Amino acid sequence: MPTLKTGGRLKSAVCAGEIMVVTASADDVELTCGGVAMLEAGAEAPATAEVHPDHAVGIAMGKRYITEDESLEVLCVKAGDGSLAANGQLLLQKDTKQLPKTD
């Protein structure tokens, strides 16, 4: 399990998904994508791994994902078929904020 640190990049072992850590949790966190532990960005993915059906919602590029208590926030930099989870709990997609009008 790679150590999570702000700015760190991880990739999925089961799909094309890649993320960047925006806010790292102070606690030890097992971050998974598609039900399988994520790898450091440069690591080689196993050829036989598949997305678990319970973790197949997918992630979208440019979207941020957070834990329920907002102690961990990640940014999807490459879309994938697997869902993100921290310690077995699926991450929530962070809502976007409406920009103020300028007229």
Side-chain angles (χ1 to χ4, degrees), residues 5-96:
K5 61 182 179 184
T6 301
R9 289 186 63 144
L10 302 170
K11 70 176 186 175
S12 173
V14 294
C15 68
E18 292 185 23
I19 61 164
M20 182 174 68
V21 179
V22 176
T23 304
S25 175
D27 302 326
D28 286 338
V29 176
E30 181 184 13
L31 194 59
T32 61
C33 182
V36 179
M38 296 195 78
L39 307 168
E40 293 285 345
E44 191 67 32
T48 59
E50 294 182 8
V51 176
H52 189 280
D54 293 339
H55 296 269
V57 175
I59 55 175
M61 187 169 71
K63 298 294 182 181
R64 292 176 183 247
Y65 297 87
I66 57 173
T67 55
E68 230 175 85
D69 63 359
E70 298 185 19
S71 62
L72 173 67
E73 180 177 340
V74 297
L75 171 67
C76 177
V77 294
K78 188 173 182 186
D81 296 330
S83 298
L84 297 172
N87 296 331
Q89 297 291 334
L90 290 176
L91 296 184
L92 308 169
Q93 186 172 319
K94 189 172 182 179
D95 292 330
T96 58

Side-chain angles (χ1 to χ4, degrees), residues 99-103:
L99 294 174
K101 291 186 177 185
T102 58
D103 20 92

